[in-house]
Amino acid sequence: MSELVSYTNDDGIGIITIDNPPVNASSQPVRQALAAILASMKQAGDVKAVLLRCAGRTFMAGADIREFDGADIPLPDPNEIHALLESLPVPAIAVLHGTVLGGGLELALACHYRVALRSTRLGMPEVTLGLLPGAGGTQRLPRLIGVSEALDMIATGKAVSADRALRMGLLDDVFDADLDAQALAFARLAAHKDVAARVLRYRSFDLEQGEALVLEKWLERLPPEDKGGRGSRACVLAIKMAAELPFDEGLEFERRSFLKCKASTESKALRHAFFSEREASRIPNLPDDLMLRPMTSVGIVGAGTMGVGIAMSFANAGMPVILQDLSAETLARATEAIRTTYGAAVDKGRISAQDAESRRGLVRTATDDMQLAQCDLIIEAAFESLGIKQRIFERLGKIAKPGAILASNTSSLDVNKLADASGRPADVLGMHFFSPANIMRLLEVVRADLTAPDVLATVMRLAKRIGKVPVVSGVCFGFIGNRMLEGYLREAEFLILEGASPAFIDEALEDFGMAMGPCRMIDMAGVDVAAKVVIEQKKANILPEDPTYRVVVQALHDAGRFGQKTACGYYRYEGRKPVEDTDVTPIFVELARVHGIQRRTDITAREVVQRCLYPLIAEGYRILEEGIAYRPGDIDVVWLSGYGFPAYRGGPMFYAQTLGEAELAGRIASYAETRGNLFGYWTVPESLQRARR
Ligand code: 3HC
């Protein structure tokens, strides 16, 4: 017996316990120990039933994803373990709690019965890693719950509640408490029952009328293999094979398909994203004994759109928050906006009316800033002006209780200056929420020069508590995300001046996989907002001396074309639908004429993608060189969770690896030759240059 898997006997009920913290992943040593115990139980002896349970916070949450990086997955194969379970002469009962995912659910499916705590969630999230379930999930689940429900679970990766699983027939019983005792009682009742009928591999399974069509419809809806659809397509095909092939052949098909997917760039990228997101919240070189600051009350200064979104982020996580604004009118509008947002969530069935009520109740408003004095954290979300924010920090430095953390939601200003103004710089950092703040998961946590380590660590922990994906950035204009965005937007504008239409540019980048092309994105965020960034760059004296730099957004701004909010920007809008607008072309033609830019008709989608993405990636390398980001993966997390970079490409830095760094450096250098490099737009970053040598 190993420490990872133990076996006891409770008066004739064998109890196998897996104990592999934190999530009982099925690593090779776990599989080996489990296989050994099950093999020794072939003859049941005095055992009348077997319980398979896990210690700690969850039943097995899947295979150990770390093992997928090697060419082969070390033996024993989970299918061997499942076969051993299915051949037991007495009932095997999976006892479930926590998050029963992937290989964990597959293990449970190989048991004869499944019981669970009511709070359990069950799912097959492999597709979110570019995979299909690889240990019988695609063959057993449809046999148990039917094709439609199995497709919903396997091809979307969405988990279901225990109650729903019970209704589907995935579970045999659900308990509110005392899982172990209840499971033991269940086992005594099940003991000696005939198990053959409960073995899913023996269950015959054909497609019912209409189910073949459902499968076809799924395949039609899914993206192509090279556009992030490899894993999901493999899921659907394997379920189809469950109906068409005998069980063992179906299992073989699934295994081959799993190994192929595992080796794909899509899966590698998605696995990279999974681990990078977790790694991003780790701050290097923190002392082991670092104490975090208490965090029970949060105040927000400024009840505009951002302040309201931030307040709801806390309320959604059950944390009370005080929203402060000098204007009672603004506060009234904020209260109304919160009411409307939660009302809409109730209407859409996302939350219950009771939840909406309790969340609303967690947001208190105040005009008097002294109400913030006892807060553990105060987030400033005022108008984006250095002067205004400096005054607020000066005031917060005086009124906040000692030890309180002071944060700014600035997206571009120098957090060191705000820290200075507060008179207590160790307590200050940036918390750059993305709009809408109650929805967007990304949070850039900006480490100023004097931010205390416990302040940084406390805010990282808090961010996770409210469901955000926090990434640390050093101080620089635009931090990680917006700084990299700059080259991307710059090139998109140059391409417009050279003759590409906004729709052509957007389509090229959306075809690459971006959730939204740059022109539609600016129209949505507001051309005025985007133009303001350029104005701020001007003020900060960091604009290149290029007279053609970002002239398009400024001209649209001057023309009052603010985007969706004025029903015209790069496009004109019919409701929210963008429509190409010939009225805007003369603005581009005139700008090109004024700046002596030759318009051409030979711009390809490939050129659009390369010219927009390479400067973005190059800036990522500089951000690493300067120590603004800790790790390449952090940059990827920013772009995946905040800017709609396609997850199946792993983020810009991972994508650079797939291109090959030497190749990328060469391509950037060749753009420097063909386009000229007067303003340094095509300078190969030093760290990338090294890859060329
Ligand atoms: N393999 C390896 N490590 C895993 C893991 C897994 N399947 N699941 C979680 N971990 C690690 C995380 O990396 C993290 O490690 P760290 O502390 O060193 O950063 C630690 O466990 C805790 O994870 P989280 O921080 O994510 O903890 P949460 O409580 O927020 O979430 C969870 C728990 C819901 C289980 C979440 O971790 C999760 O979704 N895990 C992935 C589940 C999954 O995808 N399972 C399918 C795997 S593929 C498979 O099973 C193939 C099979 O069909 C053959």
Side-chain angles (χ1 to χ4, degrees), residues 486-491 493-494 497-498 537 542-551 597 610-619 622 667-669 671-673 675-685:
E486 189 269 326
Y488 176 77
L489 297 182
R490 179 190 74 216
E491 286 305 316
E493 285 199 11
F494 285 159
L497 294 177
E498 287 162 44
Q537 279 175 290
I542 51 171
L543 272 192
E545 284 179 12
D546 174 3
T548 64
Y549 178 82
R550 304 294 309 274
V551 288
I597 295 167
Q610 294 193 343
R611 278 185 52 191
C612 291
L613 285 183
Y614 293 173
L616 178 160
I617 297 171
E619 206 55 36
R622 288 188 197 100
R667 290 193 202 170
I668 295 176
Y671 272 114
E673 269 170 36
R675 295 199 44 76
N677 194 27
L678 195 56
F679 303 104
Y681 297 154
W682 295 102
T683 301
V684 180

Side-chain angles (χ1 to χ4, degrees), residues 241-290:
M241 288 306 133
E244 290 180 7
L245 298 174
F247 183 86
D248 283 328
E249 285 175 37
L251 208 58
E252 192 49 45
F253 177 90
E254 179 199 72
R255 196 65 185 162
R256 274 198 312 272
S257 192
F258 177 83
L259 291 175
K260 242 200 232 156
C261 285
K262 181 180 91 59
S264 71
T265 304
E266 171 181 320
S267 178
K268 285 179 186 158
L270 291 165
R271 273 144 45 200
H272 162 78
F274 176 85
F275 285 116
S276 296
E277 188 176 313
R278 279 147 188 86
E279 180 83 11
S281 53
R282 275 199 256 286
I283 305 162
N285 306 323
L286 282 187
D288 289 341
D289 57 353
L290 188 76

Side-chain angles (χ1 to χ4, degrees), residues 16 38 41-42 50 83-92 112 195 199:
I16 301 173
L38 289 170
M41 292 180 69
K42 264 191 175 157
V50 178
L84 284 168
L85 270 168
E86 286 179 321
S87 64
L88 284 178
V90 295
H112 305 102
V195 290
V199 175

Side-chain angles (χ1 to χ4, degrees), residues 172-427:
D172 299 292
D173 212 342
V174 170
F175 310 124
D176 284 311
D178 302 325
L179 179 62
D180 288 334
Q182 298 267 21
L184 206 56
F186 185 98
R188 296 205 190 283
L189 286 176
H192 297 308
K193 278 200 182 154
D194 179 25
V195 290
R198 308 276 321 174
V199 175
L200 292 174
R201 78 160 58 220
Y202 300 141
R203 232 174 244 191
S204 68
F205 172 58
D206 293 309
L207 288 184
E208 281 172 20
Q209 228 182 1
E211 284 180 338
L213 203 66
V214 172
L215 284 162
E216 288 310 317
K217 281 248 145 47
W218 265 93
L219 283 177
E220 275 168 28
R221 278 208 313 259
L222 292 172
E225 282 208 347
D226 61 344
K227 297 268 156 53
R230 184 180 289 274
S232 50
R233 286 179 169 275
C235 287
V236 178
L237 282 179
I239 293 174
K240 193 163 176 239
M241 288 306 133
E244 290 180 7
L245 298 174
F247 183 86
D248 283 328
E249 285 175 37
L251 208 58
E252 192 49 45
F253 177 90
E254 179 199 72
R255 196 65 185 162
R256 274 198 312 272
S257 192
F258 177 83
L259 291 175
K260 242 200 232 156
C261 285
K262 181 180 91 59
S264 71
T265 304
E266 171 181 320
S267 178
K268 285 179 186 158
L270 291 165
R271 273 144 45 200
H272 162 78
F274 176 85
F275 285 116
S276 296
E277 188 176 313
R278 279 147 188 86
E279 180 83 11
S281 53
R282 275 199 256 286
I283 305 162
N285 306 323
L286 282 187
D288 289 341
D289 57 353
L290 188 76
M291 295 273 288
L292 298 189
R293 296 195 185 183
M295 190 51 67
T296 52
S297 54
V298 177
I300 297 165
V301 179
T305 312
M306 281 316 280
V308 166
I310 297 169
M312 286 192 284
S313 295
F314 285 99
N316 292 346
M319 283 188 77
V321 34
I322 305 174
L323 187 55
Q324 187 269 333
D325 200 293
L326 294 176
S327 153
E329 208 181 309
T330 306
L331 285 176
R333 266 202 306 273
T335 308
E336 186 51 27
I338 293 172
R339 213 181 55 78
T340 313
T341 307
Y342 285 141
V346 173
D347 290 346
K348 286 180 191 147
R350 294 210 182 113
I351 56 172
S352 68
Q354 202 182 353
D355 270 348
E357 187 54 38
S358 72
R359 290 180 196 193
R360 269 203 307 267
L362 286 168
V363 185
R364 204 149 61 78
T365 57
T367 46
D368 177 8
D369 64 5
M370 285 309 289
Q371 298 280 324
L372 305 173
Q374 291 310 309
C375 288
D376 296 317
L377 164 70
I378 306 175
I379 304 171
E380 164 279 310
F383 187 69
E384 190 79 350
S385 140
L386 184 63
I388 293 174
K389 288 188 192 261
Q390 275 173 320
R391 277 197 295 284
I392 292 172
F393 271 82
E394 203 182 320
R395 172 86 180 143
L396 292 180
K398 291 194 186 104
I399 64 166
K401 69 176 180 185
I405 298 175
L406 309 179
S408 171
N409 177 49
T410 181
S411 56
S412 60
L413 300 172
D414 185 341
V415 181
N416 283 322
K417 289 192 178 143
L418 304 179
D420 246 12
S422 74
R424 43 197 275 190
D427 294 336

Side-chain angles (χ1 to χ4, degrees), residues 401-634:
K401 69 176 180 185
I405 298 175
L406 309 179
S408 171
N409 177 49
T410 181
S411 56
S412 60
L413 300 172
D414 185 341
V415 181
N416 283 322
K417 289 192 178 143
L418 304 179
D420 246 12
S422 74
R424 43 197 275 190
D427 294 336
V428 176
L429 44 54
M431 286 176 81
H432 180 208
F433 288 84
F434 287 69
S435 185
N438 52 316
I439 308 275
M440 295 289 288
R441 293 178 70 221
L442 177 63
L443 177 70
E444 282 182 322
V445 178
V446 185
R447 161 180 53 91
D449 291 351
L450 298 177
T451 306
D454 62 337
V455 167
L456 193 58
T458 303
V459 168
M460 294 301 276
R461 168 74 69 84
L462 173 70
K464 292 204 93 175
R465 197 168 138 198
I466 63 168
K468 299 291 174 197
V469 177
V471 177
V472 176
S473 168
V475 175
C476 64
F477 191 88
F479 312 130
I480 296 173
N482 284 344
R483 174 168 162 182
M484 290 168 72
L485 187 67
E486 189 269 326
Y488 176 77
L489 297 182
R490 179 190 74 216
E491 286 305 316
E493 285 199 11
F494 285 159
L495 285 157
I496 287 179
L497 294 177
E498 287 162 44
S501 70
F504 185 78
I505 293 170
D506 284 350
E507 269 162 34
L509 286 156
E510 284 165 20
D511 190 53
F512 170 81
M514 298 301 291
M516 196 184 276
C519 303
R520 284 211 298 133
M521 187 182 80
I522 295 184
D523 270 356
M524 201 176 78
V527 170
D528 51 336
V529 178
K532 194 165 175 297
V533 175
V534 184
I535 295 163
E536 286 298 332
Q537 279 175 290
K538 232 180 246 173
K539 277 195 209 153
N541 242 340
I542 51 171
L543 272 192
E545 284 179 12
D546 174 3
T548 64
Y549 178 82
R550 304 294 309 274
V551 288
V552 172
V553 76
Q554 296 181 67
L556 292 179
H557 179 248
D558 293 346
R561 300 182 66 107
F562 289 179
Q564 270 189 27
K565 62 177 95 163
T566 56
C568 66
Y570 288 83
Y571 297 86
R572 71 184 167 78
Y573 285 84
E574 288 171 5
R576 280 175 153 194
K577 190 172 150 238
V579 180
E580 281 201 67
D581 188 0
T582 44
D583 283 359
V584 80
T585 318
I587 300 181
F588 306 147
V589 172
E590 177 58 11
L591 282 173
R593 190 193 64 75
V594 168
H595 292 287
I597 295 167
Q598 187 71 38
R599 306 231 341 140
R600 54 195 183 95
T601 52
D602 61 350
I603 300 171
T604 60
R606 185 183 147 89
E607 180 181 348
V608 171
V609 170
Q610 294 193 343
R611 278 185 52 191
C612 291
L613 285 183
Y614 293 173
L616 178 160
I617 297 171
E619 206 55 36
Y621 278 90
R622 288 188 197 100
I623 281 172
L624 285 170
E625 287 167 13
E626 292 169 25
I628 296 291
Y630 292 134
R631 301 159 277 250
D634 290 9

Side-chain angles (χ1 to χ4, degrees), residues 22-23 25 57 61-66 68 78 99 101-103 106 125-126 128-129 131-135 255 258 274-275 278 282 464:
V23 298
R57 68 198 225 206
D64 188 337
I65 305 167
R66 287 188 178 86
F68 296 173
T99 42
L101 301 174
E106 290 175 304
E126 286 89 342
T128 64
L129 299 170
L131 299 167
L132 66 159
R255 196 65 185 162
F258 177 83
F274 176 85
F275 285 116
R278 279 147 188 86
R282 275 199 256 286
K464 292 204 93 175

